[in-house]
Amino acid sequence: MGNHLSGMPLWAIALFIVSFLYSIFFITKPVKQAAVAAGITPQQSRNIRTGIVVFYVLYLLYVSVFSLKGVFDVDSVPPKVMIWAGMPLMLILFGFIGNTKLFKTLLRSATLESLIAVHIFRVVGVFFIIIYYYHLLPARFAFSAGLGDIITAILALPVARMVAKKRPGSIPAVYAWNILGIIDIIDLLVIAVITGANGNLREMTVFPFVWFPAFAPATILFLHTAVFRKLYQLRKAPHIGGHRKATDELNLAPLQIKKR
C-alpha cells in the first residue's frame, strides 16, 4: 500500500487533504442559500447541504481505497482514474443530479453571482505547482493546471461583483469567464491524456492527489454548466434570482446591434 502513496512531504499531503475537504464544504454554501430562498425550511436546507458533503466524502473514500490498492497506478490511455472515477461522477452529475426536480428548483432560486463566486475554491490548484516544485509533475501539465485554476478562481470574484452590482457589461463578462473556465478544463484533460501516456503523471494516480482527476473535471464542468443554465433562465425570466436589470443586456443586445 505504501508504494501507492504520494511522494510529497507529509505537511503538503495534510494541507492538501484539509484544503480539498474544505473546498467541498465551500461549494455547498450556495446550495443551502438557494434552498432557503426557495422556501425550503432551514433544517431541510442544512440536510441538503450535508447530503452533498456526505456524498462527496464517500466518493473520495471510494477513490482513495482504489488508489491505495494501486488500481489507478498504471499507464493507460485514457487514465484508469478517469474510467473508474471521473466518468462515473460525470454521469451521476450530468445524467442524474442535473435533471432532478430539486436541482432545478435550487437553480431557479440561486443567484448568478453565487454560482460564479463559488469557483474561488479552484485556488486549491496551486498544489499542482507545489507538486512540480518537488519534481513530481512535468512543468507543462503542472503550470497549465495550476495557473488555469488560479486565474479562473481570481477572476470569479470581480465577475461575480459585476453581476451583483448590475454593472454594464456584466453578462458578457460572465460568458467570457465561463467559457474560459471550461476551455481550461478541456485543455487540461487533453494534456493529461498526452502526458500521462508516458507515465509522467503518476502523482495524479496515487493518494491523495488522485482526488484531483477524480473530482475536479466532472464537478467543475458541472458548475460551469450550471452558470450557463442560470443565464438561460434569466433570459427567459429576468425576475428570477433578482437579476432583472443585469439581464437587460441579454435582451437588449440584439436590438442595439440592429440599430447600429
Side-chain angles (χ1 to χ4, degrees):
M1 183 175 292
N3 293 330
H4 305 295
L5 287 170
S6 170
M8 290 288 286
L10 184 59
W11 69 264
I13 292 175
L15 182 59
F16 172 78
I17 292 174
V18 173
S19 300
F20 210 93
L21 293 178
Y22 177 76
S23 295
I24 292 175
F25 182 78
F26 179 79
I27 64 176
T28 60
K29 183 179 180 180
V31 176
K32 181 182 176 182
Q33 294 173 338
V36 172
I40 299 175
T41 67
Q43 181 59 51
Q44 290 177 321
S45 300
R46 286 192 292 271
N47 290 342
I48 292 172
R49 184 181 191 181
T50 300
I52 297 172
V53 172
V54 170
F55 164 77
Y56 269 116
V57 169
L58 291 177
Y59 169 72
L60 291 180
L61 180 61
Y62 153 77
V63 172
S64 299
V65 170
F66 271 59
S67 67
L68 289 170
K69 288 183 174 294
V71 174
F72 307 136
D73 192 8
V74 293
D75 294 340
S76 65
V77 179
K80 279 197 172 184
V81 64
M82 295 306 300
I83 297 174
W84 291 96
M87 289 306 298
L89 180 59
M90 190 87 71
L91 291 174
I92 291 173
L93 293 177
F94 285 91
F96 175 66
I97 300 297
N99 294 312
T100 62
K101 182 178 179 180
L102 176 60
F103 175 81
K104 294 175 181 178
T105 298
L106 295 176
L107 187 62
R108 280 194 298 270
S109 300
T111 61
L112 179 58
E113 58 265 29
S114 70
L115 296 176
I116 298 169
V118 74
H119 282 263
I120 190 65
F121 85 93
R122 290 180 65 176
V123 294
V124 76
V126 71
F127 278 95
F128 285 114
I129 299 175
I130 296 175
I131 297 172
Y132 163 75
Y133 177 79
Y134 284 90
H135 309 291
L136 293 172
L137 279 180
R140 182 186 179 190
F141 176 84
F143 284 96
S144 177
L147 293 179
D149 277 340
I150 293 170
I151 291 172
T152 303
I154 292 175
L155 290 178
L157 294 179
V159 173
R161 192 174 296 112
M162 286 179 67
V163 172
K165 295 186 176 182
K166 302 177 176 62
R167 291 178 178 171
S170 60
I171 297 302
V174 174
Y175 275 107
W177 169 83
N178 209 41
I179 292 172
L180 174 66
I182 292 175
I183 291 176
D184 171 60
I185 294 298
I186 295 175
D187 177 63
L188 181 60
L189 290 174
V190 173
I191 294 176
V193 171
I194 296 174
T195 308
N198 298 319
N200 296 322
L201 298 181
R202 182 178 183 273
E203 198 66 17
M204 295 291 100
T205 68
V206 296
F207 182 82
F209 296 104
V210 68
W211 290 359
F212 266 137
F215 166 89
T219 301
I220 292 174
L221 288 176
F222 184 74
L223 292 175
H224 277 298
T225 301
V227 172
F228 275 132
R229 291 177 67 173
K230 185 65 181 182
L231 287 168
Y232 178 78
Q233 285 184 352
L234 294 175
R235 178 184 283 274
K236 293 297 183 181
H239 62 280
I240 292 178
H243 292 290
R244 182 183 295 275
K245 293 182 181 179
T247 53
D248 283 347
E249 296 176 54
L250 285 170
N251 300 317
L252 295 179
L255 297 177
Q256 293 172 346
I257 292 174
K258 289 181 179 179
K259 288 181 179 180
R260 291 177 184 176

